[in-house]
Every structure is written in C-alpha cells, then in structure tokens.
Amino acid sequence: MEIACKNIARAVRKAGIAGLFGLAGTKNKSGDQVKKLDLLSNMFVVNALKRSRVCAVLVSEEEPEPILMPAEDHGRFCVAFDPLDGSSNIDCNVSTGTIFSIFEKKTFEPPNPSDILRPGKEIIAAGYCMYVTELVVTFKRGVERFILDPSLGEFIHIGSTMRIPLRGKRVYSCNEGNYLKWDKVMQNAVSKFKVPTDGTKPYSLRYVGSMVSDVHRTMLYGGIFMYPADKKSKNGKLRLLYEGFPMALLVEQAGGIASAGYFKGEVRRILDLVPKHIHERCPVILGCHRDVVPLLDAYKGNGRDKDEEKFTSPKSKL
C-alpha cells in the first residue's frame, strides 16, 4: 500500500501538467462517474498488491467483481480499498485520498469472495493516505501518523498517536443539501447543532465532500461527521468494506464512536455489520462522544418516526 500511495501522490501532484484532470467517460459499479485519476490510482494499487504476493482477495471501488489471486500463488491478506476517495473534487485541487481495510484469510482454501465478506471487527489493519502528504494507519493498537518527505521519498513516522479530543471543537460535518430526505431524528440533531436549545454557542458547519478530509479533521479536532441513510439512499451512500469499516476502526482506535445510527431495525455499531456484497453501502455517524452519544440516544428513545423505519427497512435494496 505504501508504494501505491507514493505513486498516487506523484500522479496527483502532476495531474494538471500530465492532462489527468477530467472524466474517463465510464461509471463504476456504484454508478459514480469515473475520473482519469480514478483509473490510474486503481491500477497503482491493484498492481502493487498483486506483485506483493501476500494477498488473496482484492476489492476495489473501481472493480465490479473481487480480484482473486491464483490458488498456487496467493497470500493470506484480503484488502478492500477506495483508490481515490473524493475524486469528484480533483479538478479543483481539493484534498483526496486512498482508504483501505485489511482482513486476514481464515482458511487454506483457494481465494473466495467470502474471505472478505466478514464483520468489520475482524479487520486487522486499516488506514488512509491523504494527498499529497499524510498516511494514517491503525494495527488495532492506536492510530499512527506518517508524513511523506518528498526529499527522501519515504513516509516518516511523526511519533504521535492520534486521539479525538474529548471536548473538541464544536463542528458538525454533513451534506446538508440532503436535509429534507433525512429522518426526524437526524433533522432535529442538525437543527440543534445550528440553534442549540441550551443557550450554548452554535456549532460550525465544515464539509469538504471528501471523506478522507472530513474524517481527518474530525479525528484531529473533534466534532461529528454524518452521512446518514435517507429517503433516496435507503442503506446509506458510503461503501461498507472500503469506506465505512476502515474509517470506523480508525475513529474507535482514536477514542471516538462510529455508528450506522438506526439501521435495519436497531442502532448498530458499524464494525458489527456483515456485508453480503462487496459494494454494499451503510450509513455513517462518527466523531467524539460528546456529539455522537446524544444522537444515538435519540434514536434509541422515542424520537424515531415511521418514515425512518420505512426507509431503513431490512427489505430495502442496495
């Protein structure tokens, strides 16, 4: 992953002069428009992991099916990744990143998609690289930060374990354009962030639209990041294996909370979810305890309404 991230960082830096801005003219499995840098980033990650000879199964946002390594030459790791998160912002030079989660294969059988369709709590490592400077990784022993030194071409550990502040900045992060599609609990929570009922200072809205950037800020400064299910995207919009799982593990390892909110009949921890498909989606609510706990308590209480039950039904399609 380190080699792939270095290659992508170089491509991002040179995107303008190399003619890598713009659309590639295709759509991925999730229905998103694919950018030229999406395809290049995907190639970098897939090739690096294949040549490492330690992987069994690869799942990419840009690949419709899992990539299975040959039975005679596979390793023991299963890796899911978003090669270039936030790529819709590429042309205006907003931060992008690569997100990944790593499982360890449980059997000695030939690689199979079921090797990676497992609960997030079984992940052994996860991380993201925010371009063009920083790599953030957890091996379930806290969260470590590495800065890319361009003079050396190496990621340098900066020696600090990331921890979400217990009482950090009063910031909420969400795509508020979807407000009318949310359930009443989510609408009430965001309204209280803007106009607190206890007389405290209102929260500030900070939303980049690149998950890597928004979650990175939340982990450093505190606050809450939300991408809930709504009446259009009934199972949420973010992909579970390579967005929800890795970010949830990082946030929990940094001392925060990561929840899917009220999802499929109950308030659920993201890492307890079990994907049935490699591109399955989930709602995401994560951040510091001060901001996430009251929202989850509202879902557990009487604030949940029938509209919300309807669009988070287990029968909803992906």
Side-chain angles (χ1 to χ4, degrees), residues 84-134:
L84 199 63
D85 174 70
S87 58
S88 60
N89 294 317
I90 276 288
D91 295 1
C92 55
N93 288 317
V94 172
S95 294
T96 56
T98 298
I99 312 173
F100 59 91
S101 60
I102 303 173
F103 293 83
E104 188 168 19
K105 199 173 184 299
K106 283 187 169 182
T107 71
F108 295 101
E109 300 297 322
N112 187 284
S114 62
D115 292 325
I116 201 169
L117 294 175
R118 293 152 54 189
K121 59 189 176 185
E122 295 184 10
I123 290 173
I124 62 170
Y128 60 82
C129 185
M130 190 167 62
Y131 300 115
V132 290
T133 58
E134 187 160 351

Side-chain angles (χ1 to χ4, degrees), residues 6-22:
K6 289 177 184 177
N7 285 330
I8 296 171
R10 182 174 180 271
V12 169
R13 279 197 302 267
K14 295 192 172 184
I17 58 176
L20 294 175
F21 287 150

Side-chain angles (χ1 to χ4, degrees), residues 225-243:
F225 170 83
M226 301 165 287
Y227 213 117
D230 59 41
K231 293 176 183 178
K232 180 181 178 181
S233 301
K234 299 178 181 180
N235 283 329
K237 189 173 180 181
L238 298 174
R239 272 66 56 147
L240 184 57
L241 274 174
Y242 42 83
E243 291 175 323

Side-chain angles (χ1 to χ4, degrees), residues 127-246:
Y128 60 82
C129 185
M130 190 167 62
Y131 300 115
V132 290
T133 58
E134 187 160 351
L135 177 66
V136 178
V137 182
T138 181
F139 298 98
K140 303 180 86 169
R141 299 186 299 271
V143 181
E144 305 300 330
R145 298 175 68 187
F146 299 80
I147 303 296
L148 182 60
D149 184 339
S151 65
L152 296 175
E154 297 290 346
F155 283 101
I156 308 300
H157 185 238
I158 63 174
S160 63
T161 299
M162 292 180 74
R163 298 291 298 176
I164 295 178
L166 292 176
R167 302 193 64 82
K169 291 187 176 181
R170 298 169 66 86
V171 171
Y172 73 100
S173 180
C174 62
N175 182 355
E176 209 163 346
N178 293 328
Y179 181 89
L180 295 178
K181 302 173 188 175
W182 294 336
D183 60 65
K184 295 296 183 184
V185 175
M186 183 59 64
Q187 289 178 343
N188 290 340
V190 171
S191 295
K192 288 180 180 179
F193 287 140
K194 296 190 290 185
V195 186
T197 56
D198 58 1
T200 56
K201 182 180 177 182
Y203 278 55
S204 298
L205 171 64
R206 298 286 184 270
Y207 184 66
V208 177
S210 167
M211 190 184 190
V212 166
S213 299
D214 287 317
V215 173
H216 188 69
R217 182 196 57 249
T218 302
M219 291 178 66
L220 288 175
Y221 300 146
I224 183 171
F225 170 83
M226 301 165 287
Y227 213 117
D230 59 41
K231 293 176 183 178
K232 180 181 178 181
S233 301
K234 299 178 181 180
N235 283 329
K237 189 173 180 181
L238 298 174
R239 272 66 56 147
L240 184 57
L241 274 174
Y242 42 83
E243 291 175 323
F245 276 170

Side-chain angles (χ1 to χ4, degrees), residues 1 4 43 72 78 82 99 114 146 167 213 253 256 276:
M1 285 303 304
M43 182 189 72
E72 68 279 3
C78 305
D82 182 349
I99 312 173
S114 62
F146 299 80
R167 302 193 64 82
S213 299
Q253 287 292 310
K276 295 180 180 179

